Amino acid sequence: LLSGLRNLVGSKALSADDVRPALEKMKEQLIGKNVAADIADKLCESIRTKLEGRVLGTFTTIASTVKETLYDSCVQILSPHRRVNILRDAMEAKQQHRPYTIVFCGVNGVGKSTNLAKVTFWLVENGFRVLIAACDTFRAGAVEQLRTHTRKLNALHPPQDHNGVQMVQLYEKGYGKDAASIAMEAINFARDTRIDVVLVDTAGRMQDNEPLMRALAKLITVNQPDLVLFVGEALVGNEAVDQLVKFNQALADNSDRREPRLIDGILLTKFDTIDDKVGAAISMTYVTGQPVVFVGTGQTYTDLRNLNAKAVVSALLKG
Amino acid sequence: MVLADLGRKITTALRSLSTATVINEEVLNAMLKEICAALLEADVNIKLVKKLRENVRAVIDFEEMAAGLNKRRMIQSAVFKQLVKLVDPGVKAWQPTKGKCNVIMFVGLQGSGKTTTCTKLAYYYQKKNWKSCLVCADTFRAGAFDQVKQNATKARIPFYGSYTEPDPVVIAQEGVTKFKDEGFEIIIVDTSGRHKQEESLFEEMLQVSNAVTPDNVVFVMDATIGQACESQARAFGEKVDVASVIITKLDGHAKGGGALSAVAATGSPIIFIGTGEHIDDFEPFKVQPFISKLLGMGDIEGLIDK
Ligand SMILES: Nc1nc2c(ncn2[C@@H]2O[C@H](COP(=O)(O)OP(=O)(O)OP(=O)(O)O)[C@@H](O)[C@H]2O)c(=O)[nH]1
Ligand SMILES: Nc1nc2c(ncn2[C@@H]2O[C@H](COP(=O)(O)OP(=O)(O)OP(=O)(O)O)[C@@H](O)[C@H]2O)c(=O)[nH]1
Ligand SMILES: [Mg+2]
Ligand SMILES: [Mg+2]
């Protein structure tokens, strides 16, 4: 009974010692929900700073105060300061008679090509013509994978439904070629043939593989896409932090501009495979400060969503 | 070296025992806290980390311990034992039989590296003069058959698949029967990526397994995975008879600890690790040498057997 009462701090100001046990518990919960350990640490530290010295109302417990504060912090982390509005920007580019370009990058097997196909579907549903640039010239079957998607997407949106226009085209030069040049040719081709959007698929690469990271930076510097999307899977653990830091670092290091192009947004995939272990969303947005532009929730073309920050945080904090 | 970060941190924590003047509850707790933090940073499953801490605590009882007992050694040995338990399920790894037909079926989450690893394994045995081949029973993923075809062609490995047959069970059965008739020794069946939340995909996996009755089901796990590994691995193991684990993408910086929970969850040993995208970026895995290398110790067997 006594310890229960002690938890109901009356008018005394909170000390670091008061909040530590509740924060330790929260940190453990965050890690269990797949937030990177380092980020969970920093988050709890910021909550401690926020709460220290605060005076709680009579029947408010420390645990509930910690939880509420953490809830707000997490929602804030997930809520972008900057909105990425692809449909609006693509429309604007169209009016300027230039193709709107998105580059998809990330480590191996996270879902770049599949989600590129989903984004294509979404753009076509919104009336845009899309050119898919097959710039993964390394992984076996990468080109055929995109060709299959192109065929299926055109079957779903046949020319007869679009004034005889073929909505999706593939730009490919087979394997072994320089990805940056293919992307450039594709963008020029789109400009010449009045295609609205170019989606550039790139090969998966580990963030520590310097030659491959340099090649990606070159592709982005040379082509200056409108949007650089980092594709990361919701399954990833602590590695999420290292991936994002090093992708950004490689883009910065290998740029010849004063304002290098960095990651503009995140596409979070395989969200359907993690139950309530939603922590990767927090890790990725915390590190980059960039918004989750899309969430991949399955393997079909319609499995693409916006992030629901409140739902994610509720899952995160649910005991 | 794989998991080098983790190894360094654990070794540092253990060393704190040697520098402490007295070994008491406090020293032990501090050391365990450090080790657990290191394990969590390496993505090791949180439940396994908690269990590890409890198990070490259970062995060490300061009040009961007779004076003069070497507490340092007892604690070190307890930690070693628990670490070994993380990677060693205590069952012998499956081995193919020469001159016989060995069917190996690959399963795992989407994008974990199954198709790439199938070719690596076939190539590994082919180089050792086993008659090896591949069957592509992934009819779902766009370009899946082309991927197998290109990989296999490059490595000169016979393969079977279809552009038109939509049923993976049919292809798997046809392919395995054909290669069995032709006297192949290592027949590797690649399947689509899947996850426990989609029951129909799990059902399909079971049907493929029933159709080809594999001698070894390999669960392929990506080294970057975090806390979601455990429940997925367990679900795969409950649906089909997983007997081995292969961890991929251990090149570069990968933490790898998340994937380790697949060992406990399936009760199966890690047999190989993948360390790159190329066909020979592939190494056999052995528990004891791995742990001693991890902790920078020459011989830990002495410690463990005591
Ligand atoms: N369950 C689920 N699976 C997905 C999702 N997105 C992609 N996948 C699957 O993940 C696997 C890998 O997808 P890809 O698109 O080939 O991945 P990638 O990043 O292009 O791979 P590489 O080019 O080889 O690096 C495929 O089996 C996809 O169907 C998703 O949101 N949910
Ligand atoms: N760096 C690295 N990449 C790997 C390794 N193993 C596989 N990959 C890459 O991971 C990506 C996915 O590999 P796949 O073999 O297509 O994976 P999968 O499990 O067959 O994918 P699905 O069939 O879609 O479920 C590809 O880009 C591979 O090149 C590895 O050990 N290291
Ligand atoms: Mg791809
Ligand atoms: Mg595959």
Side-chain angles (χ1 to χ4, degrees):
Chain A
L1 181 72
L2 209 65
S3 72
L5 281 179
R6 215 176 288 135
N7 245 345
L8 303 169
V9 178
S11 51
K12 189 173 141 284
L14 289 176
S15 72
D17 282 344
D18 291 333
V19 286
R20 187 166 300 123
L23 275 179
E24 272 301 314
K25 234 185 176 163
M26 269 299 142
K27 192 175 116 188
E28 204 170 87
Q29 161 132 353
L30 291 174
I31 292 175
K33 294 279 174 85
N34 203 35
V35 176
D38 181 37
I39 308 281
D41 234 0
K42 286 186 180 141
L43 253 172
C44 288
E45 185 55 30
S46 77
I47 304 297
R48 190 184 61 73
T49 330
K50 271 191 193 154
L51 290 185
E52 231 179 305
R54 189 185 291 182
V55 177
L56 296 190
T58 318
F59 291 102
T60 321
T61 64
I62 296 177
S64 69
T65 307
V66 164
K67 205 164 172 174
E68 275 160 31
T69 317
L70 191 56
Y71 181 94
D72 293 340
S73 292
C74 289
V75 171
Q76 203 178 359
I77 290 169
L78 290 176
S79 309
H81 324 286
R82 193 177 55 81
R83 285 223 164 267
V84 173
N85 192 333
I86 294 176
L87 295 179
R88 184 197 61 201
D89 294 351
M91 188 51 79
E92 203 178 293
K94 191 180 168 123
Q95 279 150 9
Q96 298 163 359
H97 304 292
R98 63 173 189 90
Y100 180 82
T101 306
I102 308 178
V103 169
F104 292 71
C105 63
V107 302
N108 304 90
V110 290
K112 294 175 292 301
S113 310
T114 307
N115 287 280
L116 178 148
K118 295 183 203 171
V119 172
T120 305
F121 180 74
W122 174 72
L123 286 166
V124 170
E125 296 258 293
N126 282 282
F128 291 99
R129 290 181 70 199
V130 178
L131 181 66
I132 298 176
C135 297
D136 178 353
T137 62
F138 174 74
R139 208 211 67 222
V143 176
E144 289 77 7
Q145 183 179 12
L146 295 177
R147 185 176 298 135
T148 305
H149 282 306
T150 304
R151 183 169 39 75
K152 285 189 180 165
L153 288 163
N154 279 319
L156 290 170
H157 276 276
Q160 57 264 35
D161 293 357
H162 295 272
N163 303 321
V165 176
Q166 187 178 337
M167 293 306 278
V168 187
Q169 288 182 56
L170 177 68
Y171 193 93
E172 59 104 350
K173 287 281 173 260
Y175 294 92
K177 304 272 168 42
D178 176 47
S181 333
I182 299 178
M184 176 162 289
E185 288 169 29
I187 294 167
N188 288 335
F189 177 80
R191 186 178 289 115
D192 295 345
T193 55
R194 301 251 161 137
I195 295 176
D196 309 315
V197 179
V198 181
L199 301 184
V200 180
D201 187 34
T202 65
R205 65 202 75 218
M206 288 291 165
Q207 69 271 24
D208 283 307
N209 190 323
E210 274 179 40
L212 294 184
M213 291 308 292
R214 259 201 307 280
L216 176 68
K218 177 182 152 197
L219 185 149
I220 288 168
T221 310
V222 173
N223 291 294
Q224 289 295 312
D226 295 276
L227 192 70
V228 177
L229 278 186
F230 178 85
V231 184
E233 55 177 25
L235 290 162
V236 68
N238 282 271
E239 195 75 351
V241 177
D242 196 62
Q243 286 177 6
L244 280 157
V245 168
K246 289 198 175 131
F247 266 73
N248 263 333
Q249 194 61 50
L251 294 186
D253 288 350
N254 295 293
S255 167
D256 48 8
R257 312 199 170 211
R258 208 166 332 125
E259 290 274 314
R261 289 301 308 274
L262 302 178
I263 291 163
D264 300 307
I266 294 159
L267 198 162
L268 185 63
T269 65
K270 308 186 190 174
F271 210 71
D272 52 323
T273 69
I274 52 158
D275 296 330
D276 63 349
K277 300 194 173 49
V278 296
I282 295 282
S283 305
M284 290 187 196
T285 41
Y286 188 99
V287 188
T288 54
Q290 298 295 1
V292 172
V293 181
F294 296 106
V295 181
T297 56
Q299 303 192 83
T300 69
Y301 296 134
T302 51
D303 293 324
L304 198 63
R305 300 277 183 282
N306 291 313
L307 185 83
N308 181 341
K310 286 187 177 157
V312 169
V313 179
S314 296
L316 190 69
L317 299 185
K318 197 155 160 232
Chain B
M1 157 78 190
V2 157
L3 290 170
D5 260 4
L6 176 62
R8 203 171 322 110
K9 285 177 193 159
I10 292 177
T11 323
T12 310
L14 284 172
R15 209 172 290 138
S16 69
L17 288 179
S18 326
T19 50
T21 38
V22 269
I23 309 282
N24 54 20
E25 198 91 34
E26 216 171 298
V27 173
L28 174 63
N29 284 341
M31 183 207 71
L32 280 176
K33 195 171 175 198
E34 236 177 280
I35 290 181
C36 291
L39 290 167
L40 288 175
E41 277 164 33
D43 285 323
V44 176
N45 188 267
I46 193 160
K47 285 185 248 166
L48 293 177
V49 174
K50 277 187 185 160
K51 209 180 287 161
L52 182 142
R53 188 204 292 249
E54 281 161 24
N55 289 351
V56 173
R57 295 284 348 217
V59 180
I60 313 295
D61 183 344
F62 287 99
E63 293 186 358
E64 298 262 293
M65 244 188 241
L69 250 181
N70 194 336
K71 292 175 193 159
R72 272 188 196 96
R73 203 178 154 80
M74 284 189 67
I75 293 173
Q76 270 179 349
S77 155
V79 172
F80 281 140
K81 264 190 207 156
Q82 294 303 318
L83 287 173
V84 171
K85 228 166 108 181
L86 271 185
V87 277
D88 187 0
V91 296
K92 252 182 111 75
W94 176 84
Q95 292 288 343
T97 315
K98 190 80 189 157
K100 188 190 150 260
C101 159
N102 302 275
V103 178
I104 306 171
M105 174 175 162
F106 274 51
V107 300
L109 288 169
Q110 291 90 348
S112 58
K114 294 175 294 301
T115 306
T116 309
T117 309
C118 276
T119 324
K120 287 180 179 179
L121 188 68
Y123 183 70
Y124 174 88
Y125 282 116
Q126 192 180 56
K127 271 197 312 195
K128 293 185 180 309
N129 291 318
W130 295 67
K131 225 180 144 192
S132 311
C133 62
L134 291 166
V135 176
C136 173
D138 180 357
T139 54
F140 177 78
R141 155 129 177 221
F145 183 39
D146 288 293
Q147 187 182 5
V148 171
K149 198 172 177 178
Q150 288 168 21
N151 278 336
T153 307
K154 206 166 150 197
R156 298 173 185 280
I157 298 163
F159 61 92
Y160 183 87
S162 165
Y163 284 115
T164 48
E165 172 56 60
D167 186 353
V169 180
V170 171
I171 298 182
Q173 189 145 40
E174 282 176 4
V176 169
T177 307
K178 169 184 179 309
F179 285 128
K180 267 187 178 167
D181 290 347
E182 293 171 10
F184 277 82
E185 294 170 294
I186 302 284
I187 303 175
I188 298 175
V189 181
D190 185 23
T191 64
S192 305
R194 62 194 85 238
H195 54 296
K196 72 178 171 82
Q197 288 84 353
E198 218 170 310
E199 179 52 35
S200 61
L201 295 181
F202 260 46
E203 205 45 50
E204 176 195 278
M205 169 171 70
L206 180 62
Q207 283 170 19
V208 173
S209 177
N210 287 342
V212 303
T213 52
D215 300 284
N216 183 20
V217 176
V218 176
F219 180 63
V220 178
M221 206 5 101
D222 177 326
T224 65
I225 198 168
Q227 297 291 330
C229 176
E230 198 255 358
S231 59
Q232 290 288 356
R234 185 177 306 283
F236 273 88
E238 281 165 2
K239 196 73 183 180
V240 290
D241 195 9
V242 170
S244 318
V245 174
I246 293 182
I247 300 184
T248 62
K249 308 185 198 175
L250 270 165
D251 40 327
H253 187 268
K255 318 263 182 205
L260 294 185
S261 70
V263 173
T266 63
S268 307
I270 302 166
I271 53 169
F272 285 93
I273 59 171
T275 55
E277 293 192 75
H278 294 281
I279 196 160
D280 46 10
D281 295 329
F282 196 53
E283 297 167 22
F285 182 89
K286 299 233 158 45
V287 173
Q288 295 287 342
F290 172 77
I291 292 279
S292 15
K293 223 168 122 191
L294 178 69
L295 299 175
M297 304 273 166
D299 169 40
I300 56 160
E301 249 150 275
L303 264 173
I304 287 167
D305 292 335
K306 294 274 151 60

PDB file of all heavy atoms in Angstrom, chain A residues 136-153:
ATOM      1  N   ASP A 136      18.830  -1.176 -61.756  1.00  0.00           N
ATOM      2  CA  ASP A 136      19.528  -2.283 -61.100  1.00  0.00           C
ATOM      3  C   ASP A 136      20.029  -3.156 -62.236  1.00  0.00           C
ATOM      4  O   ASP A 136      19.279  -3.944 -62.808  1.00  0.00           O
ATOM      5  CB  ASP A 136      18.595  -3.073 -60.184  1.00  0.00           C
ATOM      6  CG  ASP A 136      19.303  -4.277 -59.534  1.00  0.00           C
ATOM      7  OD1 ASP A 136      20.464  -4.561 -59.913  1.00  0.00           O
ATOM      8  OD2 ASP A 136      18.700  -4.913 -58.651  1.00  0.00           O
ATOM      9  N   THR A 137      21.306  -2.984 -62.560  1.00  0.00           N
ATOM     10  CA  THR A 137      21.868  -3.752 -63.674  1.00  0.00           C
ATOM     11  C   THR A 137      22.737  -4.883 -63.138  1.00  0.00           C
ATOM     12  O   THR A 137      23.561  -5.432 -63.837  1.00  0.00           O
ATOM     13  CB  THR A 137      22.713  -2.841 -64.591  1.00  0.00           C
ATOM     14  OG1 THR A 137      23.813  -2.313 -63.833  1.00  0.00           O
ATOM     15  CG2 THR A 137      21.881  -1.692 -65.129  1.00  0.00           C
ATOM     16  N   PHE A 138      22.559  -5.193 -61.853  1.00  0.00           N
ATOM     17  CA  PHE A 138      23.407  -6.205 -61.225  1.00  0.00           C
ATOM     18  C   PHE A 138      22.655  -7.489 -60.850  1.00  0.00           C
ATOM     19  O   PHE A 138      23.031  -8.579 -61.256  1.00  0.00           O
ATOM     20  CB  PHE A 138      24.088  -5.627 -59.980  1.00  0.00           C
ATOM     21  CG  PHE A 138      24.851  -6.663 -59.210  1.00  0.00           C
ATOM     22  CD1 PHE A 138      26.059  -7.154 -59.672  1.00  0.00           C
ATOM     23  CD2 PHE A 138      24.329  -7.189 -58.026  1.00  0.00           C
ATOM     24  CE1 PHE A 138      26.756  -8.141 -58.986  1.00  0.00           C
ATOM     25  CE2 PHE A 138      25.018  -8.177 -57.325  1.00  0.00           C
ATOM     26  CZ  PHE A 138      26.236  -8.644 -57.803  1.00  0.00           C
ATOM     27  N   ARG A 139      21.598  -7.351 -60.037  1.00  0.00           N
ATOM     28  CA  ARG A 139      20.982  -8.551 -59.490  1.00  0.00           C
ATOM     29  C   ARG A 139      20.254  -9.375 -60.553  1.00  0.00           C
ATOM     30  O   ARG A 139      19.486  -8.833 -61.346  1.00  0.00           O
ATOM     31  CB  ARG A 139      20.008  -8.186 -58.367  1.00  0.00           C
ATOM     32  CG  ARG A 139      19.874  -9.328 -57.347  1.00  0.00           C
ATOM     33  CD  ARG A 139      18.524  -9.382 -56.708  1.00  0.00           C
ATOM     34  NE  ARG A 139      17.531  -9.753 -57.686  1.00  0.00           N
ATOM     35  CZ  ARG A 139      16.352  -9.209 -57.779  1.00  0.00           C
ATOM     36  NH1 ARG A 139      15.980  -8.261 -56.966  1.00  0.00           N
ATOM     37  NH2 ARG A 139      15.494  -9.600 -58.709  1.00  0.00           N
ATOM     38  N   ALA A 140      20.506 -10.669 -60.551  1.00  0.00           N
ATOM     39  CA  ALA A 140      19.873 -11.564 -61.517  1.00  0.00           C
ATOM     40  C   ALA A 140      18.360 -11.384 -61.475  1.00  0.00           C
ATOM     41  O   ALA A 140      17.756 -11.336 -60.409  1.00  0.00           O
ATOM     42  CB  ALA A 140      20.237 -13.011 -61.205  1.00  0.00           C
ATOM     43  N   GLY A 141      17.748 -11.250 -62.635  1.00  0.00           N
ATOM     44  CA  GLY A 141      16.301 -11.167 -62.736  1.00  0.00           C
ATOM     45  C   GLY A 141      15.717  -9.793 -62.446  1.00  0.00           C
ATOM     46  O   GLY A 141      14.501  -9.602 -62.544  1.00  0.00           O
ATOM     47  N   ALA A 142      16.562  -8.824 -62.113  1.00  0.00           N
ATOM     48  CA  ALA A 142      16.045  -7.499 -61.730  1.00  0.00           C
ATOM     49  C   ALA A 142      15.281  -6.849 -62.878  1.00  0.00           C
ATOM     50  O   ALA A 142      14.209  -6.252 -62.675  1.00  0.00           O
ATOM     51  CB  ALA A 142      17.187  -6.603 -61.267  1.00  0.00           C
ATOM     52  N   VAL A 143      15.811  -6.963 -64.102  1.00  0.00           N
ATOM     53  CA  VAL A 143      15.159  -6.337 -65.253  1.00  0.00           C
ATOM     54  C   VAL A 143      13.847  -7.051 -65.575  1.00  0.00           C
ATOM     55  O   VAL A 143      12.810  -6.405 -65.787  1.00  0.00           O
ATOM     56  CB  VAL A 143      16.101  -6.346 -66.474  1.00  0.00           C
ATOM     57  CG1 VAL A 143      15.393  -5.782 -67.696  1.00  0.00           C
ATOM     58  CG2 VAL A 143      17.378  -5.562 -66.174  1.00  0.00           C
ATOM     59  N   GLU A 144      13.888  -8.373 -65.563  1.00  0.00           N
ATOM     60  CA  GLU A 144      12.673  -9.152 -65.865  1.00  0.00           C
ATOM     61  C   GLU A 144      11.590  -8.912 -64.813  1.00  0.00           C
ATOM     62  O   GLU A 144      10.401  -8.914 -65.123  1.00  0.00           O
ATOM     63  CB  GLU A 144      13.000 -10.646 -65.949  1.00  0.00           C
ATOM     64  CG  GLU A 144      13.801 -11.059 -67.179  1.00  0.00           C
ATOM     65  CD  GLU A 144      15.290 -10.709 -67.085  1.00  0.00           C
ATOM     66  OE1 GLU A 144      15.740 -10.257 -66.011  1.00  0.00           O
ATOM     67  OE2 GLU A 144      15.994 -10.878 -68.096  1.00  0.00           O
ATOM     68  N   GLN A 145      12.003  -8.697 -63.578  1.00  0.00           N
ATOM     69  CA  GLN A 145      11.049  -8.390 -62.505  1.00  0.00           C
ATOM     70  C   GLN A 145      10.257  -7.132 -62.865  1.00  0.00           C
ATOM     71  O   GLN A 145       9.024  -7.112 -62.800  1.00  0.00           O
ATOM     72  CB  GLN A 145      11.823  -8.184 -61.192  1.00  0.00           C
ATOM     73  CG  GLN A 145      10.948  -7.926 -59.971  1.00  0.00           C
ATOM     74  CD  GLN A 145      11.783  -7.761 -58.693  1.00  0.00           C
ATOM     75  OE1 GLN A 145      13.014  -7.618 -58.747  1.00  0.00           O
ATOM     76  NE2 GLN A 145      11.127  -7.776 -57.557  1.00  0.00           N
ATOM     77  N   LEU A 146      10.962  -6.098 -63.308  1.00  0.00           N
ATOM     78  CA  LEU A 146      10.291  -4.847 -63.669  1.00  0.00           C
ATOM     79  C   LEU A 146       9.482  -4.994 -64.957  1.00  0.00           C
ATOM     80  O   LEU A 146       8.417  -4.389 -65.104  1.00  0.00           O
ATOM     81  CB  LEU A 146      11.318  -3.717 -63.814  1.00  0.00           C
ATOM     82  CG  LEU A 146      12.041  -3.332 -62.519  1.00  0.00           C
ATOM     83  CD1 LEU A 146      13.093  -2.265 -62.793  1.00  0.00           C
ATOM     84  CD2 LEU A 146      11.041  -2.833 -61.467  1.00  0.00           C
ATOM     85  N   ARG A 147       9.982  -5.828 -65.881  1.00  0.00           N
ATOM     86  CA  ARG A 147       9.227  -6.034 -67.119  1.00  0.00           C
ATOM     87  C   ARG A 147       7.893  -6.696 -66.800  1.00  0.00           C
ATOM     88  O   ARG A 147       6.841  -6.325 -67.340  1.00  0.00           O
ATOM     89  CB  ARG A 147      10.038  -6.892 -68.098  1.00  0.00           C
ATOM     90  CG  ARG A 147       9.329  -7.022 -69.452  1.00  0.00           C
ATOM     91  CD  ARG A 147      10.149  -7.794 -70.475  1.00  0.00           C
ATOM     92  NE  ARG A 147      11.401  -7.120 -70.768  1.00  0.00           N
ATOM     93  CZ  ARG A 147      12.585  -7.741 -70.843  1.00  0.00           C
ATOM     94  NH1 ARG A 147      12.666  -9.034 -70.620  1.00  0.00           N
ATOM     95  NH2 ARG A 147      13.669  -7.067 -71.127  1.00  0.00           N
ATOM     96  N   THR A 148       7.922  -7.678 -65.892  1.00  0.00           N
ATOM     97  CA  THR A 148       6.685  -8.348 -65.495  1.00  0.00           C
ATOM     98  C   THR A 148       5.707  -7.355 -64.868  1.00  0.00           C
ATOM     99  O   THR A 148       4.514  -7.354 -65.186  1.00  0.00           O
ATOM    100  CB  THR A 148       7.008  -9.477 -64.492  1.00  0.00           C
ATOM    101  OG1 THR A 148       7.958 -10.344 -65.083  1.00  0.00           O
ATOM    102  CG2 THR A 148       5.768 -10.264 -64.124  1.00  0.00           C
ATOM    103  N   HIS A 149       6.222  -6.503 -63.981  1.00  0.00           N
ATOM    104  CA  HIS A 149       5.338  -5.504 -63.363  1.00  0.00           C
ATOM    105  C   HIS A 149       4.754  -4.563 -64.423  1.00  0.00           C
ATOM    106  O   HIS A 149       3.565  -4.240 -64.385  1.00  0.00           O
ATOM    107  CB  HIS A 149       6.096  -4.702 -62.308  1.00  0.00           C
ATOM    108  CG  HIS A 149       6.273  -5.443 -61.018  1.00  0.00           C
ATOM    109  ND1 HIS A 149       5.221  -5.997 -60.326  1.00  0.00           N
ATOM    110  CD2 HIS A 149       7.380  -5.734 -60.283  1.00  0.00           C
ATOM    111  CE1 HIS A 149       5.661  -6.595 -59.230  1.00  0.00           C
ATOM    112  NE2 HIS A 149       6.977  -6.451 -59.174  1.00  0.00           N
ATOM    113  N   THR A 150       5.589  -4.145 -65.364  1.00  0.00           N
ATOM    114  CA  THR A 150       5.116  -3.235 -66.412  1.00  0.00           C
ATOM    115  C   THR A 150       3.960  -3.874 -67.190  1.00  0.00           C
ATOM    116  O   THR A 150       2.927  -3.247 -67.436  1.00  0.00           O
ATOM    117  CB  THR A 150       6.278  -2.897 -67.377  1.00  0.00           C
ATOM    118  OG1 THR A 150       7.348  -2.361 -66.604  1.00  0.00           O
ATOM    119  CG2 THR A 150       5.854  -1.887 -68.425  1.00  0.00           C
ATOM    120  N   ARG A 151       4.148  -5.154 -67.523  1.00  0.00           N
ATOM    121  CA  ARG A 151       3.113  -5.853 -68.274  1.00  0.00           C
ATOM    122  C   ARG A 151       1.823  -5.949 -67.462  1.00  0.00           C
ATOM    123  O   ARG A 151       0.732  -5.647 -67.939  1.00  0.00           O
ATOM    124  CB  ARG A 151       3.628  -7.259 -68.646  1.00  0.00           C
ATOM    125  CG  ARG A 151       2.672  -8.070 -69.500  1.00  0.00           C
ATOM    126  CD  ARG A 151       3.309  -9.348 -70.086  1.00  0.00           C
ATOM    127  NE  ARG A 151       4.220 -10.057 -69.202  1.00  0.00           N
ATOM    128  CZ  ARG A 151       3.849 -10.818 -68.159  1.00  0.00           C
ATOM    129  NH1 ARG A 151       2.585 -10.955 -67.871  1.00  0.00           N
ATOM    130  NH2 ARG A 151       4.770 -11.435 -67.421  1.00  0.00           N
ATOM    131  N   LYS A 152       1.950  -6.335 -66.196  1.00  0.00           N
ATOM    132  CA  LYS A 152       0.755  -6.480 -65.350  1.00  0.00           C
ATOM    133  C   LYS A 152       0.043  -5.150 -65.136  1.00  0.00           C
ATOM    134  O   LYS A 152      -1.183  -5.081 -65.131  1.00  0.00           O
ATOM    135  CB  LYS A 152       1.157  -7.054 -63.988  1.00  0.00           C
ATOM    136  CG  LYS A 152       1.482  -8.534 -64.017  1.00  0.00           C
ATOM    137  CD  LYS A 152       1.643  -9.037 -62.587  1.00  0.00           C
ATOM    138  CE  LYS A 152       1.979 -10.506 -62.544  1.00  0.00           C
ATOM    139  NZ  LYS A 152       2.476 -10.899 -61.215  1.00  0.00           N
ATOM    140  N   LEU A 153       0.827  -4.100 -64.945  1.00  0.00           N
ATOM    141  CA  LEU A 153       0.233  -2.785 -64.698  1.00  0.00           C
ATOM    142  C   LEU A 153      -0.508  -2.286 -65.942  1.00  0.00           C
ATOM    143  O   LEU A 153      -1.596  -1.714 -65.839  1.00  0.00           O
ATOM    144  CB  LEU A 153       1.314  -1.788 -64.271  1.00  0.00           C
ATOM    145  CG  LEU A 153       1.871  -2.017 -62.859  1.00  0.00           C
ATOM    146  CD1 LEU A 153       3.190  -1.283 -62.648  1.00  0.00           C
ATOM    147  CD2 LEU A 153       0.849  -1.592 -61.799  1.00  0.00           C
TER     148      LEU A 153
END
